[in-house]
Amino acid sequence: MHTGLRRWLLAATLILGSPMIAQAADQINGGMLRVGDQRQGARGILEASGLLKDLPYKIEWSDFPAAQPLGEALHAGAIDVGGLGDAPFIFALAAGAKAHVVSVSQTQSEGLAIVANSNSPLIDVASLKGHRIATTRGSIGHFLVLVALQKAGLKTSDVQLIFLNPSDAKAALATGAVDAWSTWDPYVAIAQLHDHAKVITNAVGLKDSFTYQAATDDAIARKRAILADYLQRLAQAQRWALNHPELVAQAQARITGLPPEVLTYVYKRAQLHPVAIDAKVIQSQQHTAAVYANAGVITQALDVSPSFDTSFKLK
């Protein structure tokens, strides 16, 4: 049995007694967890680290090109848990998703950027005025555009935002249908390494880069033991991946077909690692909600504090 699961079951024994242990064991053995992923990021890390071997339950994977459709799947109850950025989780909450953040990871901000073609006359955020910027509505790319424009003294109305999914945005930039693209890794890395795109700005100094695992309230209630074990495995895999980016890249390349050198570049600069749900995380999320509300991306002010579930303690 996995170490994290043993600890969870031991804690349950001490607090609730043996009936809870039997219930948790029954839930895990032969159970199933429906997991939403983006470009097989979580699955690649788990497979490379070997932490998907000998699972006592099944995982049904659903892969998404961006966080917005993953958030919609959470809202619809089509998945139990999924990984998405802090900004798209706000978008999902505003749409009425009955879900909570159950774990948080932090990454470096260079992998979130506004890019343009190498021959573009654009040189900085100020030069974006009057130009067309592609991004995915409600994504961390959308958030980056808003805060970058604000810092440069520009309004959203000073640019033309065109909302596209990543594959369509990539094509639009290549053909000149848009002038810039605000996106995230691995798309930023592909643009830089394969398309020789230039970075107009990245999120360094503009955004704390937190990513979430968010679970439906139903999964938290009915699949708690499985969910706890999955989160523990993912946290352990992220720590392992810090020292093995090439192995993670090879595993994810086999799953996704993306170039291994791009994925190695992504993991080396990301430095993705689990962190506690603390006041800094919640404050950062509250700021994101305020930015979206002020820009009219969501129609109401949100208090994000109740959307975090701190009961899943990761070792």
Side-chain angles (χ1 to χ4, degrees):
M1 186 178 292
H2 184 256
T3 301
L5 178 58
R6 286 197 197 97
R7 290 172 178 157
W8 188 90
L9 293 176
L10 176 59
T13 302
L14 295 174
I15 297 171
L16 298 171
S18 59
M20 183 63 181
I21 290 299
Q23 181 181 0
D26 289 344
Q27 182 190 111
I28 285 184
N29 293 322
M32 191 264 286
L33 191 67
R34 301 171 301 165
V35 180
D37 205 1
Q38 290 189 62
R39 301 299 301 200
Q40 305 287 7
R43 185 177 176 182
I45 290 175
L46 285 162
E47 287 199 354
S49 63
L51 287 166
L52 287 183
K53 295 178 180 178
D54 302 320
L55 281 179
Y57 52 89
K58 295 180 181 179
I59 294 180
E60 179 182 282
W61 294 98
S62 296
D63 196 51
F64 298 87
Q68 183 186 3
L70 190 153
E72 292 170 353
L74 273 174
H75 183 25
I79 57 175
D80 298 315
V81 63
L84 72 172
D86 45 4
F89 184 67
I90 286 290
F91 202 62
L93 279 182
K98 297 184 182 303
H100 282 75
V101 175
V102 288
S103 71
V104 178
S105 300
Q106 187 166 14
T107 184
Q108 300 301 313
S109 300
E110 291 91 340
L112 171 59
I114 300 174
V115 298
N117 290 323
S118 59
N119 60 352
S120 170
L122 299 175
I123 56 172
D124 55 18
V125 177
S127 67
L128 290 169
K129 186 174 182 178
H131 288 85
R132 301 158 298 178
I133 306 172
T135 194
T136 304
R137 182 172 175 80
S139 68
I140 54 176
H142 189 179
F143 180 84
L144 175 60
V145 171
L146 297 177
V147 294
L149 291 175
Q150 183 180 43
K151 184 177 180 181
L154 297 177
K155 302 185 293 293
T156 308
S157 58
D158 288 327
V159 301
Q160 182 181 357
L161 287 179
I162 299 177
F163 296 119
L164 299 170
N165 63 43
S167 60
D168 290 338
K170 184 180 188 301
L173 183 64
T175 61
V178 298
D179 305 299
W181 178 22
S182 186
T183 189
W184 55 91
D185 271 339
Y187 303 111
V188 172
I190 293 170
Q192 288 178 283
L193 299 181
H194 280 213
D195 303 330
H196 308 293
K198 62 180 176 180
V199 172
I200 302 301
T201 189
N202 60 33
V204 174
L206 293 175
K207 185 181 187 304
D208 292 320
S209 292
F210 294 115
T211 64
Y212 297 157
Q213 289 294 316
T216 65
D217 294 350
D218 184 65
I220 292 171
R222 296 194 308 108
K223 298 184 178 182
R224 185 175 186 87
I226 300 177
L227 183 58
D229 183 70
Y230 172 77
L231 296 175
Q232 184 62 54
R233 288 173 188 264
L234 184 59
Q236 185 176 338
Q238 287 179 355
R239 295 188 187 101
W240 176 88
L242 288 171
N243 296 317
H244 304 88
E246 292 88 356
L247 295 179
V248 176
Q250 291 168 14
Q252 194 178 359
R254 287 192 295 271
I255 300 168
T256 64
L258 291 173
E261 69 275 10
V262 168
L263 293 169
T264 299
Y265 183 72
V266 167
Y267 283 113
K268 282 185 175 180
R269 77 171 168 187
Q271 295 297 296
L272 181 70
H273 61 281
V275 296
I277 299 174
D278 59 13
K280 179 181 177 181
V281 170
I282 296 172
Q283 182 180 12
S284 176
Q285 182 70 327
Q286 192 63 61
H287 171 66
T288 300
V291 169
Y292 269 0
N294 292 337
V297 179
I298 59 175
T299 58
Q300 74 272 37
L302 291 176
D303 176 11
V304 305
S305 298
S307 65
F308 290 88
D309 185 329
T310 61
S311 65
F312 291 87
K313 306 299 184 183
L314 304 182
K315 302 297 182 181

